Amino acid sequence: MTTGLQACPVSRNHHPNLWPPFTSITTTPALEQVVRGEGALLYRAEGPPLIDAISSWWVTLHGHANPVVAAAIAEQAATLEQVIFAEFTHPQAERLASRLAQRTGLDRVFFSDNGSTAVEVALKTAVQWWHNRGEPRQQLIAFDGAYHGDTFGAMAVGARSLFSEPFDPMLFPVRRVPWPQTHWNDQTVEASEQRALDDLALALQTPTAAVILEPLIQGAGGMRMVRPQFLQAVEQQVRRAGSLLIADEVLAGFGRCGRLLASQRAGIQPDLVALSKGLTAGFLPMGITMASEAIFQEFLGSDPTKTLWHGHSFTANPLGCAAANASLDLLEADPACHEQFEQRHQVRLERLADHPRVQRVRLCGTIAAFDLVTDGEQGYLNPAGKVLRGLVRDQGVLIRPLGDVVYLLPPLCISDDQLDQCYDALHSGLDALPGR
Ligand code: PMP
């Protein structure tokens, strides 16, 4: 039988046994081997070191191979590497939970494995909360352009996209509301916020289990930022409707936006918060879902159907918890480093903003972003970002634009010289960018 399919050659020199994520293998050159990391630098098997201007998928909060985090993990590995968390607890988990509760006002900490699972737990908790109260609600509201992870529940609340397409018919329905993204010198933001709030008010007329959002910045959806006052208005509406508010802070949390939680900077108090990425300083995969005491209370009682029957083999892994405590130690030892990072971007970004290939400039904490001026269509498949990525990489800087959206998301430890190199590389890359 013939299928009519041509064998598709795997691109040059890819490892025969690896299947990399988010990678169109045929059109992507072989992956380079990295042998060592230190601070903001990645050392490759061949060639000069690269400045990691994206914190390796937004995780390495304090830089590569940070000695404080590395030592904490090593010590924990030699003490207790893992224990079944349903029978036992351990000092690292208890310390971390107390510290996070104290810093956020959310009293309960549920551990899982990554950002997607932290979101799954938040969604399941919200839906079961209503179920446990005897007032089941199924509607979930999410925002246009959202990205919450790649597992089925997280995909369902995320925007439908190229990534989700094969699964779209299987994803549960979610009510969608516009996300009034803004940028420097945006004259229309108030009108677009009002439209979004009007839509949200309409959506909330249907009893709603929860509204989920990425506070201050939608990451994978294109580094799309909103103003704190919009999020405060959303919270007010959610409270009026008696619904729950979930903040997915997998990217935005843990100092990325200038405060421990982006919600704190935005001036909102969600019922559930999902954390990952910078939580363990990018050393180990771990997720946390924080919940208010009012959420937790509905899961108590002798009726077994009230229990949150959810868990993972590696729940509250002691190495992950040790890494997270060390990551928090580092944030607390030098708060100015994350609280004032935005100023370091600001001066450099102002200069870049004048470049003719740069538009819709935006900045939040450690994250600076803009859209490329191109002739192509806006979005993830716009090839201009890939071309820029190559040009910038030739200058020793690693970026990974999302289509035509370019961003810098460096580790906190990046030096001023290294940050200058990132901006210089962007400048010369933009000068050399074909088209226009
Ligand atoms: N939520 C947000 C806001 C994210 O940015 C991501 C990852 N980029 C996730 C959830 C999913 O996290 P993970 O990749 O660890 O599953």
Side-chain angles (χ1 to χ4, degrees):
M1 191 181 106
T2 56
T3 61
L5 292 175
Q6 299 291 316
C8 207
V10 170
S11 163
R12 294 161 281 147
N13 303 326
H14 273 288
H15 189 285
N17 306 111
L18 289 177
W19 190 337
F22 288 123
T23 301
S24 175
I25 312 277
T26 311
T27 57
T28 305
L31 309 188
E32 281 186 273
Q33 203 181 62
V34 166
V35 289
R36 192 166 73 81
E38 186 180 347
L41 294 179
L42 288 170
Y43 292 86
R44 296 173 284 179
E46 285 166 35
L50 284 177
I51 299 175
D52 183 352
I54 54 167
S55 300
S56 280
W57 258 335
W58 321 341
V59 298
T60 52
L61 182 63
H62 305 288
H64 292 281
N66 179 284
V68 174
V69 186
I73 294 172
E75 192 183 331
Q76 187 59 43
T79 309
L80 175 69
E81 83 304 338
Q82 172 67 341
V83 64
I84 174 171
F85 201 64
E87 296 273 328
F88 304 104
T89 174
H90 56 81
Q92 292 285 3
E94 290 186 9
R95 177 163 180 252
L96 182 60
S98 309
R99 295 173 84 189
L100 289 178
Q102 206 251 326
R103 292 283 307 262
T104 65
L106 292 166
D107 285 333
R108 296 290 164 174
V109 172
F110 192 99
F111 289 95
S112 63
D113 296 351
N114 53 56
S116 302
T117 56
V119 168
E120 296 283 345
V121 170
L123 296 173
K124 287 178 71 174
T125 305
V127 171
Q128 192 178 338
W129 188 78
W130 288 104
H131 172 91
N132 286 3
R133 288 161 65 92
E135 311 164 44
R137 291 185 175 194
Q138 275 85 37
Q139 174 164 280
L140 293 165
I141 299 177
F143 285 85
D144 286 341
Y147 176 83
H148 296 293
D150 284 347
T151 52
F152 265 80
M155 246 194 318
V157 283
R160 302 294 178 267
S161 70
L162 169 72
F163 297 174
S164 68
E165 196 190 295
F167 318 104
D168 284 354
M170 301 169 72
L171 299 177
F172 56 74
V174 169
R175 187 81 181 246
R176 203 89 34 198
V177 175
W179 182 252
Q181 62 170 316
T182 187
H183 51 83
W184 287 0
N185 306 319
D186 180 3
Q187 306 300 321
T188 60
V189 61
E190 276 159 19
S192 52
E193 285 177 355
Q194 195 50 55
R195 276 195 299 277
L197 291 170
D198 291 346
D199 272 27
L200 180 62
L202 204 63
L204 281 167
Q205 284 175 8
T206 303
T208 299
V211 174
I212 181 167
L213 51 80
E214 294 158 84
L216 295 178
I217 174 165
Q218 284 187 340
M223 299 298 165
R224 296 171 3 127
M225 302 187 190
V226 289
R227 303 193 304 171
Q229 44 269 67
F230 171 69
L231 296 172
Q232 290 159 19
V234 168
E235 183 183 20
Q236 271 175 20
Q237 286 202 12
V238 170
R239 298 289 165 231
R240 242 180 274 131
S243 176
L244 298 177
L245 184 61
I246 302 174
D248 174 355
E249 300 219 13
V250 168
L251 163 64
F254 241 72
R256 271 285 163 214
C257 291
R259 294 284 301 273
L260 182 64
L261 296 186
S263 300
Q264 292 169 331
R265 178 154 180 201
I268 58 171
Q269 181 68 44
D271 304 286
L272 292 150
V273 170
L275 293 171
S276 189
K277 294 193 187 280
L279 172 66
T280 61
F283 273 64
L284 288 162
M286 192 167 85
I288 276 182
T289 309
M290 304 204 62
S292 66
E293 193 61 25
I295 297 281
F296 181 72
Q297 287 296 322
E298 291 295 338
F299 291 78
L300 301 180
S302 51
D303 176 357
T305 65
K306 287 204 157 191
T307 298
L308 179 61
W309 295 111
H310 185 107
H312 299 275
S313 318
F314 288 101
T315 295
N317 172 258
L319 306 186
C321 292
N325 273 314
S327 182
L328 195 51
D329 287 342
L330 290 168
L331 285 182
E332 288 179 351
D334 183 9
C337 185
H338 67 282
E339 286 169 8
Q340 288 165 27
F341 199 101
E342 192 167 301
Q343 283 100 294
R344 298 176 65 196
H345 271 309
Q346 177 85 28
V347 275
R348 296 166 169 90
L349 195 57
E350 276 168 12
R351 284 198 294 273
L352 193 70
D354 293 332
H355 196 284
R357 304 300 299 270
V358 170
Q359 61 180 338
R360 291 189 280 274
V361 178
R362 45 215 191 255
L363 172 61
C364 183
T366 63
I367 310 170
F370 60 89
D371 296 351
L372 286 172
V373 175
T374 74
D375 294 324
E377 256 184 51
Q378 264 184 276
Y380 194 77
L381 294 180
N382 185 311
K386 250 191 184 164
V387 178
L388 182 69
R389 170 169 141 194
L391 294 165
V392 169
R393 190 148 160 161
D394 291 343
Q395 315 274 322
V397 176
L398 171 66
I399 60 167
R400 196 177 160 90
L402 299 153
D404 56 346
V405 178
V406 181
Y407 64 91
L408 294 176
L409 201 158
L412 293 170
C413 67
I414 193 166
S415 70
D416 281 339
D417 277 355
Q418 288 169 332
L419 200 55
D420 283 338
Q421 279 181 56
C422 295
Y423 277 90
D424 289 347
L426 277 179
H427 262 286
S428 55
L430 289 166
D431 287 344
L433 194 64
R436 286 257 164 171

